[in-house]
Amino acid sequence: MKTIIQNGTIVTATDIYKADLKIEQGAITAISNHFIPEKDDHVIDASGQYILPGGIDVHTHLAWPFQSTGTADDFVTGTQAAAAGGITSIINFTNPKKGQTLLDNLQEWKKKGESSLIDYGFHSIISEYTDHVLEELPILAEREGVTSIKLFMAYKGELMVNDREMYKIMKKAGEVGIITSIHAENGDLIDELVEESLAKGNTDPIFHAYTRPTITESEATGRALAIAEAANAHVYIVHVSCADALEKVERAKKRGVQAFAETCPHYLVLDESYLALPDFEGGKYVCSPPLREKWNQDHLWRGISSGLVSTIGSDHCPFRFEGQKTLGRDNFAKIPNGCPGIEDMFSILYHYGVQEGRISLQKFVEVMSTGPAKLFGLYPKKGSISVGFDADLVLFNPKIRREITKVKQYQNLDYNLYEGTVVQGAITRVLSRGEEIVRDGIVVGQKGRGQYLFRKKVANIEKTVTS
Ligand SMILES: [Zn+2]
């Protein structure tokens, strides 16, 4: 049986045009001005709607153990929320256990991923340097299709690696075609600032922001980029939150470093003042890096427009308010660090970006889908609308206005970060490999239908170190 989508407006990172789509066996097989459906064809009328490539969220923490607790969404609720929010592929972080090999750890995560409703892959986090880790990298890339890793420069004792270890890991990653993602914050400096703050009795959520000032992010970003340059490796700075750090990325790119930046929806529309909300409401907004002073947002939007920012990731790291965020009611350092975002990223970016005139619709597609697909080895199978691509599609009605609320969300949470926000546009249908997984805004896809994403290596890079 074929599926025909008629009368829609197709949007890619470069084009907007009206055409019909033909889908067979999960892939787009033809695009034409008009198809005449046959008797058995499944016909979808997309009049008045955009047809966009499904979102690719390369920054998720589903089923993630962290800071004495674990994230509230597993691969079922998390990927239902993703689907409802127009995301058709995710790359989730693993989280290694002490002494466990990367490959053993990956098998555990692949098992968890089997309940996923959408396609899923993994970035392996390396939190413990050993020579063995270096030997595993080529196997991860060749045999498992895991072509990205992640290193942390903060969370000492839990995830943090030092500069020398970063260099050795990045160098090997560069050699074998793996891109290294970096959480760039100066962990040692932050730990000291936190201790100072608590000693003075400053325990409210706002002090989470004050103890992680932008210099702690920009310094680490600059250091990671320098190490990547020395190691001749592709580097991806996750969740860039501020102008200072973005400047470091810009400088490195000019030097020829294969450097890429991601930002997240919350840094684009929320700011530091949310952390100061009364009655511990601020706890809901604790994530790292923290929300910044509002003026940074213009720099981030401009970075998206100019191509300095390559992708938007949700950094979906959800914790319930009652029982999880409240662990830190008397001490901000005990609030689990993370915010939800997988369900609302698409809508938030469309509304504040496209609707309010900050970015073009094509740019929206680029950072939401095409950019992440290219950087993380999924192109040209995912990330655009063209013959031969998977039919991962979002039908979007730009005329509907709707209110974001926890009452209607799929995220397994007792709050929504954007509660009460009215956004322009609504996702009406989502197709994953041609199968309708969202219809009339309701998730209808079955858990476990998602497929593991075996990803390609990043392209070999020229030597970038300048003398
Ligand atoms: Zn994250």
Side-chain angles (χ1 to χ4, degrees), residues 60-281:
T60 66
H61 297 268
L62 303 181
W64 210 63
F66 187 48
Q67 292 183 320
S68 81
T69 181
T71 53
D73 276 313
D74 59 16
F75 278 85
V76 178
T77 61
T79 59
Q80 283 171 340
I87 307 295
T88 51
S89 299
I90 55 165
I91 307 179
N92 202 71
F93 290 107
T94 65
N95 198 336
K97 296 174 189 156
K98 291 265 174 242
Q100 191 181 35
T101 67
L102 298 179
L103 287 160
D104 284 351
N105 181 255
L106 179 69
Q107 302 320 316
E108 286 181 13
W109 280 91
K110 281 169 86 172
K111 196 93 204 128
K112 290 196 202 191
E114 282 173 8
S115 56
S116 184
L117 187 139
I118 56 172
D119 295 349
Y120 60 95
F122 296 100
H123 312 280
S124 284
I125 285 177
I126 303 175
S127 58
E128 221 178 352
Y129 175 83
T130 60
D131 291 338
H132 187 64
V133 155
L134 299 186
E135 290 160 24
E136 287 189 289
L137 291 181
I139 308 171
L140 275 182
E142 302 281 346
R143 200 183 77 195
E144 301 290 348
V146 172
T147 52
S148 50
I149 53 172
K150 184 178 185 190
L151 305 176
F152 284 77
M153 299 171 81
Y155 304 114
K156 200 170 196 171
E158 191 172 9
L159 294 164
M160 180 169 148
V161 290
N162 66 36
D163 293 355
R164 196 167 175 180
E165 294 165 343
M166 271 177 68
Y167 170 75
K168 287 198 274 194
I169 294 168
M170 274 198 197
K171 189 174 168 201
K172 185 71 182 179
E175 281 167 18
V176 302
I178 284 177
I179 187 168
T180 303
S181 300
I182 300 285
H183 176 118
E185 284 188 303
N186 185 322
D188 278 321
L189 180 52
I190 288 166
D191 288 349
E192 186 57 28
L193 295 175
V194 168
E195 226 173 273
E196 270 181 24
S197 179
L198 293 175
K200 285 188 214 150
N202 294 330
T203 58
D204 287 345
I206 187 64
F207 291 98
H208 173 73
Y210 295 164
T211 54
R212 303 177 101 94
T214 56
I215 46 167
T216 60
E217 182 183 345
S218 65
E219 182 280 326
T221 303
R223 187 155 37 101
L225 293 164
I227 294 170
E229 184 172 339
N232 196 28
H234 278 76
V235 62
Y236 178 82
I237 310 293
V238 302
H239 53 43
V240 173
S241 73
C242 62
D244 292 359
L246 202 54
E247 221 171 81
K248 296 281 166 62
V249 176
E250 188 172 20
R251 214 178 296 167
K253 274 179 174 283
K254 281 189 182 144
R255 287 175 64 80
V257 182
Q258 297 291 316
F260 305 92
E262 166 199 277
T263 191
C264 311
H266 38 281
Y267 301 120
L268 291 167
V269 302
L270 305 174
D271 63 73
E272 195 182 87
S273 65
Y274 285 80
L275 288 156
L277 291 173
D279 302 324
F280 193 65
E281 275 289 291

Side-chain angles (χ1 to χ4, degrees), residues 302-321:
R302 275 205 296 276
I304 294 174
S305 270
S306 70
L308 190 52
V309 174
S310 301
T311 61
I312 301 291
S314 69
D315 196 3
H316 184 69
C317 194
F319 298 100
R320 295 176 71 82
F321 183 68

Side-chain angles (χ1 to χ4, degrees), residues 293-409:
E293 289 174 2
K294 200 166 180 58
W295 62 269
N296 287 281
Q297 292 171 0
D298 285 343
H299 292 258
L300 296 176
W301 283 113
R302 275 205 296 276
I304 294 174
S305 270
S306 70
L308 190 52
V309 174
S310 301
T311 61
I312 301 291
S314 69
D315 196 3
H316 184 69
C317 194
F319 298 100
R320 295 176 71 82
F321 183 68
E322 288 302 336
Q324 289 196 295
K325 288 290 188 183
T326 52
L327 290 168
R329 202 181 267 284
D330 303 318
N331 174 352
F332 71 86
K334 294 201 170 127
I335 304 170
N337 288 192
C339 287
I342 205 167
E343 191 162 348
D344 300 308
M345 169 166 74
F346 194 102
S347 293
I348 289 289
L349 194 74
Y350 179 85
H351 181 82
Y352 290 96
V354 182
Q355 178 68 24
E356 296 198 343
R358 293 183 177 92
I359 58 171
S360 69
L361 190 53
Q362 293 98 318
K363 180 57 85 173
F364 171 87
V365 168
E366 187 184 322
V367 292
M368 183 68 70
S369 186
T370 316
K374 285 182 174 171
L375 268 178
F376 291 96
L378 295 171
Y379 201 85
K381 188 172 161 61
K382 299 195 183 285
S384 193
I385 298 177
S386 192
V387 170
F389 277 71
D390 283 357
D392 291 356
L393 303 167
V394 175
L395 271 61
F396 186 81
N397 187 334
K399 296 203 184 66
I400 300 174
R401 276 176 90 76
R402 68 178 188 97
E403 184 181 347
I404 297 176
T405 167
K406 66 178 180 184
V407 181
K408 289 185 184 161
Q409 73 185 355

